[in-house]
Amino acid sequence: MSGILRLGRLELRVLDLEESVKYYTDVIGLEVTGREENRVYLKAWDEYDHHSIVLQKADTAGMDHMAFKVKDIYELEKLESKIEQFGCQLSRVSKGTRLAEGEAIRFQIPTGHYMELYTDIEQVGTKTGSLNPHPWPDGLRGIAPHRLDHALLTGDDLETATRFFTEVLGFKQTERIVTVDGEVLVGSFLSATNKAHDLAFVKGPDGKFHHAGFYVDNWYDVLKAADILTKNNVQTEITPTRHGITRGLTIYFFDPSGNRNEAYTSGYMSYADFPTITWTEDKIATGIFYHRRELVESFNKALT
């Protein structure tokens, strides 16, 4: 084990900060936990740390960085050394650079995306508490996911990216998509925990963001999410369906800046001895949209 505990946060670039805050609070149902001039910090109701989403006012949409929480400072230092040995550009982020965060290490991975690892962040708890808690708090709004679940990114050299996450950071590859001849990797699903995925890549332009997945309770909540999106006139890409890959239940839609979001549930548990599942490229449409068995054009093209 590498010492990585889980996915910690995404910092998303948005064009209109206040419009985005309204969307992520009223439609997604996140809670604002802090503000700075050009950033707003949010978390889901079932998350204990100060934030899992940071909205950054910017001229272009997309992802500034994705971060994973590490067990302690000793594991963080070990990973820092391994990342440098792999050849990634690495820098330190000072404590207090962002609200409620301690020091972090920041590095660029082979697909051009920026990642961070950290161990120190303020814990603010949940409204249900940790002593004799009720199953959910009163006053939930919107889709009201339990947590930020995963992100999907695009890049060209998925072999090297996969090798970095498995050999350096200790992730396991739960599923992969290959060309029919098996020669080229075109999709890679990676987990640092026992989830189906914490991070995934599909072949495409380097440095692009595909979507952020938010975890909801069940299939009914995915259907309810579709109702909430229609009530709020949110652009929906695909109505509720199932993934073949991960077996998750899903709906895709877009925030006001064009960043794709997903309400996601179900999926399997991946233990340490879980074998990697392989999909061939000719079945990719079934893997992604199991019921319709065909891709929508925007799925590969709407990237930020």
Side-chain angles (χ1 to χ4, degrees):
M1 297 294 292
S2 68
I4 290 179
L5 299 177
R6 56 177 172 79
L7 170 60
R9 64 173 175 264
L10 290 177
E11 182 165 3
L12 299 177
R13 300 191 303 272
V14 297
L15 307 181
D16 185 321
L17 188 57
E18 292 309 316
E19 181 185 24
S20 298
V21 170
K22 181 174 175 56
Y23 165 85
Y24 277 96
T25 54
D26 292 349
V27 177
I28 300 295
L30 303 183
E31 171 191 351
V32 173
T33 56
R35 285 177 176 264
E36 295 175 316
E37 183 179 1
N38 292 313
R39 286 188 176 103
V40 175
Y41 301 79
L42 306 101
K43 77 176 199 70
W45 69 264
D46 213 8
E47 294 174 325
Y48 285 82
D49 286 351
H50 185 272
H51 55 269
S52 61
I53 293 290
V54 183
L55 301 179
Q56 176 199 124
K57 181 176 173 57
D59 294 329
T60 58
M63 184 185 80
D64 175 86
H65 79 278
M66 182 178 190
F68 292 89
K69 191 174 187 180
V70 176
K71 179 182 177 182
D72 54 41
I73 190 64
Y74 306 107
E75 295 293 340
L76 189 63
E77 289 172 352
K78 289 179 189 176
L79 289 169
E80 182 178 29
S81 176
K82 292 175 72 174
I83 291 164
E84 287 181 319
Q85 289 173 19
F86 191 84
C88 293
Q89 293 184 344
L90 187 147
S91 62
R92 288 283 184 117
V93 179
S94 300
K95 180 178 180 179
T97 299
R98 288 182 296 264
L99 195 63
E101 296 179 15
E103 190 176 49
I105 57 172
R106 183 179 177 99
F107 51 95
Q108 190 173 25
I109 61 173
T111 53
H113 300 91
Y114 285 94
M115 298 278 163
E116 293 187 10
L117 300 179
Y118 68 97
T119 187
D120 182 20
I121 185 170
E122 179 186 346
Q123 274 205 346
V124 295
T126 67
K127 290 179 180 178
T128 56
S130 56
L131 177 64
N132 304 325
H134 293 296
W136 45 267
D138 293 330
L140 294 177
R141 290 187 291 176
I143 295 169
H146 284 265
R147 65 174 184 266
L148 172 65
D149 187 77
H150 65 268
L152 175 62
L153 310 175
T154 68
D156 181 54
D157 186 358
L158 301 193
E159 292 280 2
T160 303
T162 298
R163 188 164 59 84
F164 173 77
F165 277 93
T166 55
E167 296 179 7
V168 177
L169 299 188
F171 284 57
K172 57 183 179 291
Q173 187 184 51
T174 56
E175 304 205 34
R176 63 178 189 152
I177 308 167
V178 297
T179 51
V180 176
D181 60 11
E183 293 295 317
V184 180
L185 183 68
V186 296
S188 188
F189 293 74
L190 301 158
S191 179
T193 59
N194 64 351
K195 290 157 46 186
H197 62 328
D198 293 292
L199 167 65
F201 293 93
V202 291
K203 200 166 186 67
D206 279 339
K208 289 295 185 179
F209 176 74
H210 191 277
H211 75 263
F214 294 93
Y215 191 85
V216 297
D217 226 14
N218 52 47
W219 174 238
Y220 171 75
D221 282 343
V222 175
L223 298 177
K224 184 181 176 184
D227 294 341
I228 291 167
L229 297 173
T230 295
K231 287 177 68 176
N232 288 276
N233 200 31
V234 173
Q235 182 185 356
T236 302
E237 181 177 41
I238 192 77
T239 52
T241 187
R242 176 186 287 280
H243 291 311
I245 299 168
T246 76
R247 302 182 205 149
L249 305 171
T250 179
I251 181 171
Y252 286 110
F253 46 99
F254 296 93
D255 78 5
S257 300
N259 296 311
R260 185 188 282 100
N261 293 164
E262 177 188 25
Y264 172 91
T265 192
S266 192
Y268 51 74
M269 295 177 70
S270 60
Y271 295 103
D273 59 348
F274 189 90
T276 299
I277 294 170
T278 298
W279 292 78
T280 52
E281 193 175 22
D282 59 324
K283 294 294 184 181
I284 191 171
T286 303
I288 294 172
F289 298 129
Y290 187 74
H291 296 153
R292 65 183 289 149
R293 287 161 284 161
E294 61 182 37
L295 293 176
V296 294
E297 185 178 4
S298 61
F299 194 75
N300 291 324
K301 294 184 177 180
L303 308 172
T304 55

